[in-house]
Amino acid sequence: VSVADKSSENKYDNLLAKRAAGAVARGIGAPTQKMIAFTYGLPDEDSFPFNDLAAAATKTIMEDGKTIFQYGAPRTLAAYILESLRLEEDTTIAPTQIAVTAGSSQAISLVARVLLDPGDVILCEEFTWNGALHIFKNAETTVIPVEMDEGGLIPEKVEAKILELQAQGIKPKFIYTIPTFQNPTGSTMSVERRLALLDIAEKYDTLILEDHAYHGLAFEGDTPPTLFTLDHERKLGRVLHCRTFSKILAAGMRLGWVAGPEDLMVRLTGLKDDGGTNPFAGYIAATYAQENRLRNHIQDLVKIYRQRRDLMVAALDKHLAGTGVTWNVPAGGFFIWLKLPEGLDSGALLPKAQEAGVNYLPGTSVVPQGVDGKSYIRLSYSFVKDEEIEPGVAALAKTIKESLA
Ligand SMILES: Cc1ncc(COP(=O)(O)O)c(C=O)c1O
């Protein structure tokens, strides 16, 4: 998270908008050459479907060039998304209920724009995606963390927090959650918890922003229905839902989407100032997705990431058993979340790990203000090569054991 550096002088301070004071660019993970990078949730770069995307690009440019090089939303991609929701989740929504966005980052920014005034309060998981924290900081919002466990966000804690705020005359505008293969903890909320969270949103007249970034990347078992689908079935209208093509296709295409109740979406798209998101990439993605190519590609990705998850869990078992370090085994997504034994600080440990040749994200990078993340480490297995996983975990384990000693 880019922390606002109010102290550093800027030549244009007297001209800047208040929200720009201290603003700094969001860190996008730049992998280092020398180190084994468990740091970033970047998609595997060898898996981008180069040939099929090249063919889809050529076909779309030649057959549909006048459309894709023109202003406008990528209508064929929106149609693909609606069709997928209907086929895969039995959820039928109107075209006016979705907007294609420049990654889900823009989707979250738009939700912030349409719902948040400076000083507003939102709730989120105590450990969460740092990109979203960056967006909420730029929206001048107060982000209140809510306790989680291995099953994700705890609805009773959400309700307790809402009541606590209510006593101070504060109503949170929405609850930002990543209920499935959560970043950074890898946890997935049960259906029971999802239903309880919806009840809470309804009871206290608030909304839920469901970030479903790791959609499709399930390694085993049934993935619970999304909050969006459950909300749709119950006709509550409490959920805004965003997804991305970054993890299942190519992050550089900058494609994502947001869906929600019609009345909210009309305002949200009213604040979207860009003349249509990336029609070039959007139409190409839609051509590529035809004939089940994207669905089949996701199945290939699942095999790759499942294998890496298994390699990482096996390496953790081998090198860290008996040290007091604990971790989860995620059922999908990109992340394993380590808890260090009492007294170890993941920030202090990092330079030593880097010296040993391995990089990770310390828990302090993924927490809203007021949460102490120093006992935690996020390991991502998405971007490393299979053969780097064991040596990387071995190097990390050696560093941890030395610090324990
Ligand atoms: C939970 C979560 N949401 C959203 C995103 C953003 O993805 P994009 O803006 O590329 O769609 C990420 C990427 O790391 C993520 O982990």
Side-chain angles (χ1 to χ4, degrees):
V1 183
S2 328
V3 177
D5 178 7
K6 300 272 182 197
S7 61
S8 78
E9 298 261 319
N10 184 295
K11 185 177 166 191
Y12 297 98
D13 273 343
N14 64 326
L15 293 171
L16 288 173
K18 284 195 207 76
R19 85 183 74 85
V24 284
R26 189 174 110 196
I28 304 288
T32 44
Q33 295 301 312
K34 297 187 296 320
M35 265 178 265
I36 296 176
F38 294 146
T39 333
Y40 306 113
L42 303 178
D44 177 49
E45 57 191 8
D46 293 325
S47 309
F48 296 135
F50 300 100
N51 292 336
D52 284 345
L53 273 176
T58 305
K59 182 174 189 307
T60 317
I61 290 169
M62 299 318 285
E63 291 176 10
D64 233 357
K66 288 185 181 169
T67 309
I68 78 166
F69 290 129
Q70 195 50 275
Y71 289 109
R75 273 176 291 108
T76 50
L77 188 62
Y80 172 79
I81 293 164
L82 292 176
E83 177 70 354
S84 298
L85 276 176
R86 195 180 62 74
L87 286 175
E88 294 161 19
E89 285 152 63
D90 203 15
T91 300
T92 302
I93 58 170
T96 43
Q97 286 184 265
I98 78 156
V100 174
T101 53
S104 50
S105 297
Q106 191 195 30
I108 298 170
S109 288
L110 284 168
V111 171
R113 275 203 87 191
V114 77
L115 294 176
L116 300 175
D117 287 311
D120 275 348
V121 168
I122 63 165
L123 303 182
C124 75
E125 281 130 4
E126 60 180 327
F127 308 109
T128 189
W129 177 47
N130 48 11
L133 291 175
H134 184 91
I135 293 166
F136 300 140
K137 181 179 80 62
N138 282 345
E140 302 170 81
T141 311
T142 302
V143 177
I144 308 270
V146 180
E147 220 175 294
M148 343 168 41
D149 60 17
E150 48 300 332
L153 197 57
I154 306 167
E156 294 76 26
K157 303 282 182 189
V158 175
E159 184 163 24
K161 195 58 88 179
I162 291 176
L163 288 170
E164 197 184 309
L165 291 167
Q166 217 173 50
Q168 302 165 47
I170 299 167
K171 178 157 129 176
K173 282 291 186 70
F174 62 83
I175 303 156
Y176 169 67
T177 177
I178 312 161
T180 310
F181 318 138
Q182 207 249 2
N183 179 2
T185 66
S187 58
T188 294
M189 276 172 81
S190 64
V191 187
E192 293 70 29
R193 282 195 182 188
R194 288 169 197 244
L195 290 170
L197 195 64
L198 280 177
D199 284 341
I200 291 167
E202 179 72 3
K203 183 169 170 192
Y204 295 98
D205 183 32
T206 190
L207 296 167
I208 297 170
L209 170 55
E210 178 181 39
D211 183 344
H212 197 23
Y214 296 90
H215 160 70
L217 300 175
F219 303 150
E220 58 242 333
D222 289 333
T223 309
T226 61
L227 285 158
F228 184 63
T229 290
L230 294 169
D231 177 72
H232 186 260
E233 281 168 3
R234 298 166 83 198
K235 300 188 172 50
L236 297 176
R238 292 284 164 190
V239 178
L240 281 154
H241 178 88
C242 63
R243 288 190 205 177
T244 177
F245 289 92
S246 293
K247 317 296 178 178
I248 52 172
L249 181 54
M253 293 179 87
R254 305 310 300 132
L255 291 169
W257 53 275
V258 54
E262 199 139 4
D263 274 359
L264 264 175
M265 291 303 295
V266 73
R267 297 288 176 250
L268 182 144
T269 49
L271 293 173
K272 194 167 176 294
D273 300 322
D274 57 8
T277 301
N278 212 340
F280 178 70
Y283 280 103
I284 290 172
T287 305
Y288 166 79
Q290 282 167 9
E291 294 157 16
N292 275 329
R293 265 187 300 269
L294 179 56
R295 292 191 187 98
N296 294 336
H297 178 61
I298 295 172
Q299 289 323 304
D300 293 341
L301 292 178
V302 164
K303 286 183 207 135
I304 291 167
Y305 293 130
R306 184 199 288 126
Q307 155 106 339
R308 293 200 185 147
R309 189 248 354 228
D310 290 345
L311 287 169
M312 189 170 266
V313 169
L316 289 165
D317 283 336
K318 179 171 167 193
H319 294 285
L320 278 169
T323 55
V325 179
T326 56
W327 57 89
N328 65 319
V329 178
F334 283 4
F335 308 109
I336 293 185
W337 186 235
L338 304 193
K339 187 169 196 301
L340 299 174
E342 194 82 15
L344 281 196
D345 176 338
S346 60
L349 209 62
L350 185 59
K352 296 177 198 160
Q354 289 170 339
E355 221 166 276
V358 61
N359 212 350
Y360 61 78
L361 198 69
T364 45
S365 300
V366 295
V367 289
Q369 246 185 356
V371 178
D372 184 356
K374 69 178 189 303
S375 300
Y376 297 90
I377 285 178
R378 189 192 76 179
L379 296 181
S380 169
Y381 44 78
S382 60
F383 188 69
V384 283
K385 309 279 170 254
D386 287 8
E387 58 278 12
E388 291 180 309
I389 292 177
E390 224 238 281
V393 170
L396 175 64
K398 188 164 167 281
T399 314
I400 291 175
K401 284 176 189 162
E402 280 167 10
S403 294
L404 281 172

